[in-house]
Amino acid sequence: MKNNPVIQTMLNHKSIRKYTDKVPSDEIVKTIVRAGQQAPFASQYYSILLSRNRDRNPYKAPLLFTICVDSHKFELIMARRKWRLVTNDLTLMLFGIQDAALMAENMVIAGRSLGLGSCFLGSAPYRADKIAEEYDLPKRVFPLVQLVMGYPAEDPPTRPRYLMEFTLFKDKYPKLDDDTISEAMREMDDGYLAQDYYRNLNAKIRLEGDREETFTYDDYSWTEHICRKWGQWYPDPKNLLEQFERRGFYITGKRPQSSSTNIT
Ligand SMILES: Cc1cc2nc3c(=O)[nH]c(=O)nc-3n(C[C@H](O)[C@H](O)[C@H](O)COP(=O)(O)O)c2cc1C
């Protein structure tokens, strides 16, 4: 494989969950956000809120970014141009999520290149109401994900990823046979077990219903973890759809005219 400082920075990525007391300067923050902004975009459909209150995030990181899909400020531009938003909110959300995610990952890489570690927090969409209240978000701004950042007080090993053969498919999608699947699962599970990752985080997901627990931290690893997540959680999209609607986004149907900020 080729290597250079950019590739090395990316290959060194690891989520950081322990931070020193050192406070990143405003210049550091500005540099990171500016590098984030330079990500490719469909329409810059995002805004970032920053809190320096360590008590606002579970890892007591000195920086907490809340990354939002933002239609509000674009609709203000449309109104200036005397246009009315017609595109449905599912399409806008899809492009907005891509814009915001690309920008956020650029921030992660920029941060690491400056010696900062980070970790995403994925619960924001489910706490959208609360975050909206805390940060005074206007309607049509949806908190997508949060990103904590600061100087690392730990240096864990990098975490495993799927094998290339399970990720990059040339020319056409292959038939995934048993051996390939087993090999992919083994790579992930052995990799996480070697780090004692779930034991260290005490992160075993509880089994619901009458399923009997047969795993200990000696064999509980990534594939079981991820199966427990998506095999048990959020079967009904209702709660999430309600969060979207309370923020003024109508994902499953037509947006009521009044929810759009550009109509005066
Ligand atoms: C959208 C998203 C949400 C995440 N949410 C959380 C979270 O709530 N808490 C946490 O500790 N890590 C969270 N993570 C970090 C992942 O657990 C981590 O990236 C993954 O285990 C791979 O490890 P690595 O980043 O160290 O390579 C999240 C990552 C992403 C991309």
Side-chain angles (χ1 to χ4, degrees):
M1 241 172 54
K2 294 277 193 195
N3 206 347
N4 66 33
V6 177
I7 302 284
Q8 203 48 54
T9 302
M10 295 167 98
L11 290 177
N12 268 341
H13 162 78
K14 54 199 74 172
S15 291
I16 296 298
R17 298 183 173 93
K18 290 189 180 120
Y19 295 92
T20 67
D21 289 340
K22 188 173 167 192
V23 176
S25 67
D26 287 342
E27 189 190 15
I28 290 277
V29 169
K30 200 170 155 190
T31 307
I32 288 168
V33 175
R34 184 64 196 86
Q37 279 187 294
Q38 206 59 29
F41 62 77
S43 25
Q44 291 191 89
Y45 235 65
Y46 56 75
S47 291
I48 310 153
L49 289 116
L50 168 64
S51 167
R52 284 181 173 278
N53 181 348
R54 281 174 183 264
D55 294 328
R56 258 175 148 169
N57 70 83
Y59 300 131
K60 307 267 186 241
L63 304 175
L64 169 66
F65 297 102
T66 299
I67 291 148
C68 301
V69 172
D70 187 349
S71 190
H72 171 74
K73 70 184 180 194
F74 181 68
E75 287 168 47
L76 295 175
I77 292 176
M78 283 189 101
R80 287 278 188 98
R81 293 223 156 267
K82 308 227 177 316
W83 282 84
R84 215 185 112 248
L85 191 68
V86 162
T87 302
N88 70 79
D89 279 347
L90 179 58
T91 299
L92 291 173
M93 193 49 76
L94 195 66
F95 282 102
I97 289 172
Q98 293 179 83
D99 281 1
L102 294 170
M103 182 277 302
E105 178 54 14
N106 259 20
M107 288 173 63
V108 168
I109 298 166
R112 177 144 280 275
S113 77
L114 296 167
L116 283 86
S118 62
C119 186
F120 281 107
L121 302 174
S123 64
Y126 299 90
R127 299 191 301 112
D129 284 339
K130 190 154 186 309
I131 294 173
E133 200 183 308
E134 274 176 41
Y135 288 92
D136 217 3
L137 301 182
K139 281 278 163 80
R140 309 281 297 156
V141 177
F142 188 83
L144 178 68
V145 74
Q146 292 183 304
L147 178 65
V148 297
M149 233 186 235
Y151 293 99
E154 61 172 352
D155 186 20
T158 56
R159 280 87 195 208
R161 295 293 189 267
Y162 282 142
L163 292 165
M164 191 62 73
E165 299 78 60
F166 204 63
T167 302
L168 175 65
F169 303 139
K170 290 179 188 147
D171 295 327
K172 65 177 180 186
Y173 201 99
K175 171 121 188 51
L176 297 172
D177 58 30
D178 282 350
D179 285 350
T180 312
I181 297 166
S182 299
E183 190 54 28
M185 291 173 70
R186 192 163 37 243
E187 183 75 12
M188 291 302 295
D189 288 339
D190 288 357
Y192 272 96
L193 280 172
Q195 298 182 17
D196 240 351
Y197 180 84
Y198 292 101
R199 194 194 315 264
N200 290 338
L201 285 179
N202 193 20
K204 195 199 282 181
I205 295 174
R206 209 168 38 82
L207 285 169
E208 291 167 16
D210 51 12
R211 279 200 166 95
E212 199 193 330
E213 182 59 85
T214 57
F215 284 83
T216 68
Y217 279 121
D218 290 336
D219 57 359
Y220 181 90
S221 197
W222 186 77
T223 57
E224 178 65 17
H225 186 76
I226 221 74
C227 286
R228 289 186 185 197
K229 259 190 198 177
W230 307 135
Q232 299 190 127
W233 295 357
Y234 316 122
D236 191 339
K238 190 164 166 274
N239 288 348
L240 193 54
L241 289 172
E242 282 171 2
Q243 292 281 0
F244 277 118
E245 287 188 11
R246 284 202 289 275
R247 302 274 68 245
F249 287 95
Y250 293 79
I251 305 297
T252 57
K254 256 189 124 179
R255 182 176 51 245
Q257 289 244 316
S258 59
S259 72
S260 203
T261 42
N262 70 321
I263 299 165
T264 49

